[in-house]
Amino acid sequence: MNILVVEENKGELSALAETLLRSGHGVRIVHVSAVGGVVTAEKPDITVVACTDPASSLAPIAEALRGFDDLAYRLLLAVVSSDTSEARSAAYDAGADDVALSSASPREMADHIRSAERIVRLERRLRERVVELESALRRLALAANVRAQGVAPVVSAPNRGGLRLLLTQAWTQVDDILRSMCSEYLQSDYEQVVGSAVLPRDCMGATISLTDVENELSLELAFLVPPDAARSIAEMFTGDPSLVDDDVTKDVILELANSGMGAVRAAFLSEEFRFAASTPKVLTGRIDKLLDRAEAKRTLTFRRGAAAVHVVVAVRHQGRTKVCGSRLREGMVIASDVTTPAGVLLVRAGTRLTETAAEKIARLLPKTEVELAADDEAA
């Protein structure tokens, strides 16, 4: 590991540096006044800082380590002289990942570094995996949108805003959009059962949410399929009943919800409603909860023979809220552009945060208020 040791007083961490060198680490020792240039030139994997006042000496180092374009995990270990909760809290608030006492022996300090080394390696592997998964999710959403182009009607209308969405052609035709999507995805002709509004309680289900921050709207889709029908659909997809288990069936229903999202989103996009979509989730909780506080709703049933697919569409007004950057989490939807103090755009309004984007803003702008679409679940 590339380790940077930062001292306020010459020699106070020299014993630790010698121990680390003998362990095979690359070690540099600098005075706190010179740390900025060293960090800019080559950012270390682990930084150890001796600090008497974390707010003044540690915070600038933490900011320099976690720069705009650097997504690699870099651990910051603060060495404090006072063994008090106030000193530890100040160090953590200034950006430290771990805290040690200056009175600790070189061996004990080296143990902190061993722990830090494991954390750095694990965090970097996890971040690599997260980036791969986020890329896969983007491709999945793109595929859903491409499939939807042949299903959703192409209309041209001005953005009506707010709950005037209910006057759009896309909302008027949402029954046909979803029926066509089911027929295409399930590779069979499904017909709508008119007047059916009773939702069975023993279905496998998946939900997916869409958020339009400009018009302060949320739209939730839920797909419910009886267990027998769900299994037969999964068997059709795999072409081999022996390959189908509960996990495979669940994945098929989740992708059904994702395809439904693509069709509905494409239809409203043509009318200039720009929805940010979440990833599909397995339905949990009461089915009737889907309709709580809905300002408009559709409960649809599509059937082919004995197989039925139930779809719930719920539209709600969705206000805005503000949280500090440090509280941002994956899935939150940005309501206003997020920029750095220098005016560099980080995230555009209407973006649903990935884990990587949320962490990036949290590190760069931990105390800056960020405006979000109000979402009880995400917040």
Side-chain angles (χ1 to χ4, degrees):
M1 285 274 172
N2 179 11
I3 300 176
L4 177 65
V5 176
V6 183
E7 299 177 324
E8 287 186 332
N9 302 303
K10 187 174 181 181
E12 62 184 325
L13 293 178
S14 58
L16 170 64
E18 291 174 3
T19 301
L20 295 176
L21 282 169
R22 288 196 298 269
S23 299
H25 294 290
V27 180
R28 289 175 294 169
I29 303 177
V30 299
H31 187 266
V32 66
S33 61
V35 70
V38 175
V39 169
T40 302
E42 183 181 354
K43 292 186 179 180
D45 302 310
I46 299 171
T47 302
V48 184
V49 183
C51 53
T52 54
D53 182 7
S56 62
S57 59
L58 191 64
I61 297 174
E63 183 177 352
L65 283 172
R66 294 147 184 172
F68 175 71
D69 293 320
D70 187 15
L71 294 180
Y73 183 80
R74 302 184 186 282
L75 190 140
L76 182 58
L77 171 62
V79 181
V80 297
S81 56
S82 177
D83 186 16
T84 64
S85 60
E86 291 79 8
R88 291 177 181 274
S89 294
Y92 285 122
D93 289 344
D97 298 294
D98 191 13
V99 178
L101 291 176
S102 58
S103 59
S105 67
R107 185 67 264 170
E108 184 178 347
M109 292 290 292
D111 289 339
H112 274 278
I113 298 298
R114 289 180 63 191
S115 176
E117 185 179 359
R118 291 178 180 176
I119 292 171
V120 168
R121 286 176 174 161
L122 176 60
E123 283 283 350
R124 289 185 177 178
R125 286 199 298 270
L126 288 175
R127 291 187 183 197
E128 290 172 358
R129 184 60 175 156
V130 165
V131 170
E132 292 173 359
L133 291 174
E134 288 175 354
S135 176
L137 289 172
R138 286 193 294 270
R139 293 195 300 272
L140 187 64
L142 178 60
N145 288 336
V146 170
R147 288 197 302 271
Q149 297 304 317
V151 175
V154 178
V155 296
S156 178
N159 186 349
R160 297 179 172 86
L163 285 176
R164 294 179 182 176
L165 168 143
L166 305 181
L167 302 177
T168 62
Q169 186 174 345
W171 178 256
T172 303
Q173 297 183 353
V174 72
D175 304 36
D176 290 335
I177 294 169
L178 290 169
R179 182 193 58 77
S180 297
M181 183 281 304
C182 286
S183 296
E184 179 178 317
Y185 178 78
L186 303 176
Q187 301 179 32
S188 300
D189 290 330
Y190 276 72
E191 298 297 331
Q192 183 176 357
V193 179
V194 180
S196 175
V198 178
L199 297 176
R201 295 184 177 276
D202 59 345
C203 288
M204 298 187 66
T207 62
I208 190 165
S209 300
L210 299 99
T211 301
D212 182 337
V213 294
E214 181 180 353
N215 295 298
E216 298 189 0
L217 290 172
S218 70
L219 190 153
E220 183 159 9
L221 294 170
F223 288 78
L224 311 167
V225 184
D228 291 345
R231 186 171 183 86
S232 66
I233 290 170
E235 291 174 355
M236 179 272 295
F237 265 82
T238 62
D240 185 352
S242 66
L243 299 178
V244 176
D245 56 18
D246 289 345
D247 288 337
V248 171
T249 304
K250 179 186 69 176
D251 290 342
V252 170
I253 302 305
L254 287 171
E255 179 56 16
L256 174 64
N258 194 58
S259 296
M261 174 278 295
V264 172
R265 184 184 183 191
F268 282 109
L269 181 61
S270 66
E271 302 203 46
E272 299 183 16
F273 285 84
R274 294 175 173 83
F275 284 100
S278 67
T279 55
K281 300 178 181 178
V282 174
L283 175 65
T284 57
R286 304 190 332 266
I287 293 176
D288 56 357
K289 188 177 180 182
L290 295 170
L291 302 176
D292 288 350
R293 299 180 293 106
E295 300 185 48
K297 59 189 177 185
R298 297 280 180 86
T299 304
L300 312 170
T301 298
F302 306 113
R303 185 179 297 278
R304 177 183 178 274
V309 176
H310 306 276
V311 186
V312 174
V313 188
V315 179
R316 298 179 179 85
H317 171 77
Q318 187 171 40
R320 299 186 179 189
T321 187
K322 290 183 178 180
V323 302
C324 292
S326 61
R327 295 185 59 198
L328 293 177
R329 299 292 182 269
E330 178 184 9
M332 293 179 171
V333 180
I334 300 298
S336 299
D337 289 350
V338 179
T339 61
T340 67
V344 177
L345 179 65
L346 293 179
V347 180
R348 292 189 181 279
T351 301
R352 188 176 294 272
L353 291 177
T354 63
E355 182 179 345
T356 301
E359 183 176 341
K360 186 174 184 179
I361 299 174
R363 287 199 166 202
L364 293 175
L365 306 172
K367 298 182 180 179
T368 301
E369 281 196 333
V370 178
E371 190 172 34
L372 305 171
D375 188 335
D376 294 338
E377 182 179 352

